[in-house]
């Protein structure tokens, strides 16, 4: 049995739908959050979930991801990660911070996912100073923002920079 078998649901809703629906219901109904101004933020596989949700048509104001693990789309669902990313980027402004050892398709200027994200056209944005894009932190390893060793000055510095950039992107688009 494959570890991802339980995520398969042929003919039914995508497994990410139930979780996204629950979160959106909680935010809008329990806290009165305006559903037209909700962003998505993820780390690692959470970036896959937000990218998949955007590709499926969930209407997030924008999405921010740190060290994306999008490959689950290919491994578990046999769907091309680039196709998913193109669909997501067309619908939602995205900003991804990628590490040096993340897949090349996430890295600008030639990575296909990076191209899809940076070439997306969206009419919204307050100042135009924070366009959709993928930013590489070439000295960092996957996971540095969420679980990096911040006793290392370089890791601490780059994690703070990535979080600040993500925060600035959210402020721009929300």
């Amino acid at each position: 049995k494959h570890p991802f078998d339980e995520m398969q649901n042929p003919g039914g809703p995508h497994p990410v739908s139930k979780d996204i629906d629950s979160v959106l219901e909680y935010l809008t109904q329990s806290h009165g959050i305006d559903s037209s101004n909700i962003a998505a933020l993820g780390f690692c596989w959470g970036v896959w979930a937000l990218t998949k949700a955007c590709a499926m048509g969930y209407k997030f104001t924008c999405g921010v991801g740190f060290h994306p693990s999008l490959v689950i789309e290919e491994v578990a669902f046999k769907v091309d990660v680039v196709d998913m990313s193109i669909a997501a980027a067309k619908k939602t402004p995205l900003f991804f911070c990628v590490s040096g050892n993340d897949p090349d398709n996430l890295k600008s200027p030639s990575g296909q996912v990076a191209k899809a994200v940076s070439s997306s056209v969206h009419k919204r944005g307050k100042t135009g100073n924070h366009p959709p894009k993928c930013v590489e932190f070439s000295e960092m390893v996957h996971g540095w923002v969420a679980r990096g060793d911040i006793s290392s000055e370089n890791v601490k510095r780059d994690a703070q920079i990535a979080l600040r950039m993500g925060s600035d992107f959210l402020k721009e688009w929300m």
Side-chain angles (χ1 to χ4, degrees):
K1 184 174 179 180
H2 193 279
F4 294 128
D5 285 349
E6 66 188 49
M7 294 180 74
Q8 301 298 325
N9 191 14
H14 196 280
V16 76
S17 297
K18 182 180 176 185
D19 292 334
I20 300 290
D21 289 340
S22 294
V23 169
L24 292 175
E25 180 180 338
Y26 175 77
L27 291 172
T28 58
Q29 293 182 9
S30 297
H31 293 283
I33 304 289
D34 177 3
S35 64
S36 69
N37 198 29
I38 296 175
L41 182 129
F43 298 83
C44 195
W45 281 18
V47 184
W48 163 76
L50 82 84
T51 306
K52 184 64 177 183
C54 293
M56 292 168 50
Y58 282 91
K59 303 221 182 294
F60 292 112
T61 307
C62 62
V64 173
F66 302 96
H67 36 84
S69 283
L70 304 180
V71 71
I72 188 175
E73 188 68 7
E74 293 175 358
V75 173
F77 302 104
K78 311 298 185 235
V79 175
D80 184 76
V81 68
V82 174
D83 291 342
M84 176 190 68
S85 300
I86 290 169
K90 284 181 180 178
K91 296 173 183 172
T92 310
L94 300 171
F95 180 80
F96 294 162
C97 292
V98 301
S99 66
N101 67 339
D102 279 330
D104 288 341
N105 66 3
L106 294 165
K107 298 173 186 173
S108 293
S110 58
Q112 290 180 302
V113 171
K115 283 181 183 178
V117 169
S118 64
S119 67
S120 64
V121 178
H122 300 279
K123 293 183 179 178
R124 204 162 159 219
K126 294 176 184 166
T127 66
N129 292 330
H130 304 283
K133 64 181 167 182
C134 293
V135 176
E136 181 182 0
F137 290 79
S138 60
E139 296 177 10
M140 297 297 107
V141 296
H142 184 83
W144 94 98
V145 176
R147 62 184 194 287
D149 179 5
I150 60 169
S151 68
S152 164
E153 285 301 316
N154 290 345
V155 173
K156 181 178 179 178
R157 177 202 65 218
D158 282 1
Q160 288 174 339
I161 290 170
L163 290 168
R164 188 175 321 108
M165 292 174 84
S167 177
D168 289 345
F169 187 81
L170 290 169
K171 288 176 191 172
E172 172 77 15
W173 291 93
M174 293 188 73

